[in-house]
């Protein structure tokens, strides 16, 4: 289990290089859930000091993170193949993971990781600060 100190070390070491590698520039909004290590004062202070915008996340919200949906799909596929040992598990995970494509996020291609959210008229945009 990661504590807030470890979490901040991971962010400090990896966050900027990740968004640079993804060619996101400096104008991005970081998303995280309400895990205690994400919401403690020192984590919020770190984001403010680094001038990184964080998407405000409602407490006890349904899981809106597409990555979690992808992990669920992978887990189901791996479970169906009944890995016999750790090496077999790793091999199956790699095969199933490589089989995914961007089509999982397209509504015309079957299974979706993200359901389209209807636009809500006359609603102010959600705040993007801590």
């Amino acid at each position: 289990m990661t504590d807030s100190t470890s979490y901040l070390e991971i962010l400090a070491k990896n966050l900027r290089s990740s968004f640079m590698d993804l060619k996101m520039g400096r104008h991005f909004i970081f998303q995280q859930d309400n895990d205690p290590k994400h919401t403690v004062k020192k984590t919020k202070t770190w984001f403010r000091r680094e001038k990184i915008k964080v998407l405000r996340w409602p407490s006890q919200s349904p899981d809106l993170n597409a990555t979690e949906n992808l992990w669920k799909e992978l887990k189901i596929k791996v479970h169906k193949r009944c890995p016999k040992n750790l090496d077999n598990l790793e091999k199956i995970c790699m095969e199933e993971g490589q089989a995914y494509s961007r089509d999982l996020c397209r509504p015309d291609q079957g299974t979706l990781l993200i359901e389209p959210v209807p636009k809500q008229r006359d609603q102010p945009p959600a705040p993007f600060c801590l």
Side-chain angles (χ1 to χ4, degrees):
M1 203 171 201
T2 307
D3 63 9
S4 61
T5 301
S6 299
Y7 180 61
L8 289 174
E9 288 173 7
I10 292 166
L11 289 174
K13 181 178 179 185
N14 299 295
L15 186 58
R16 291 211 185 271
S17 61
S18 293
F19 74 74
M20 295 301 276
D21 290 345
L22 294 168
K23 297 179 178 27
M24 296 175 73
R26 294 193 48 83
H27 304 289
F28 71 96
I29 299 169
F30 188 72
Q31 177 185 345
Q32 59 187 0
D33 59 21
N34 285 320
D35 185 285
K37 66 182 156 277
H38 302 159
T39 59
V40 295
K41 186 176 180 177
K42 72 179 179 178
T43 300
K44 290 180 179 184
T45 300
W46 185 86
F47 278 108
R48 271 194 299 274
R49 187 179 66 242
E50 296 297 318
K51 297 183 174 125
I52 296 172
K53 291 181 182 179
V54 177
L55 180 65
R56 198 179 278 178
W57 202 253
S59 61
Q60 299 182 357
S61 65
D63 191 2
L64 302 173
N65 187 337
T67 305
E68 295 296 329
N69 298 331
L70 180 63
W71 279 116
K72 178 183 174 192
E73 290 294 320
L74 180 62
K75 183 178 177 180
I76 290 167
K77 289 181 180 241
V78 169
H79 181 72
K80 286 180 182 177
R81 291 184 56 185
C82 302
K84 306 293 183 222
N85 56 45
L86 190 57
D87 289 335
N88 187 230
L89 172 64
E90 182 179 8
K91 180 179 181 260
I92 290 170
C93 286
M94 293 300 289
E95 290 170 0
E96 292 296 342
Q98 290 172 355
Y100 284 112
S101 72
R102 291 178 188 251
D103 292 342
L104 287 171
C105 295
R106 292 180 48 201
D108 60 336
Q109 298 294 319
T111 306
L112 285 178
L113 294 176
I114 306 168
E115 288 294 330
V117 177
K119 288 185 180 181
Q120 305 216 352
R121 297 175 189 233
D122 302 323
Q123 293 236 344
F128 292 123
C129 57
L130 289 172

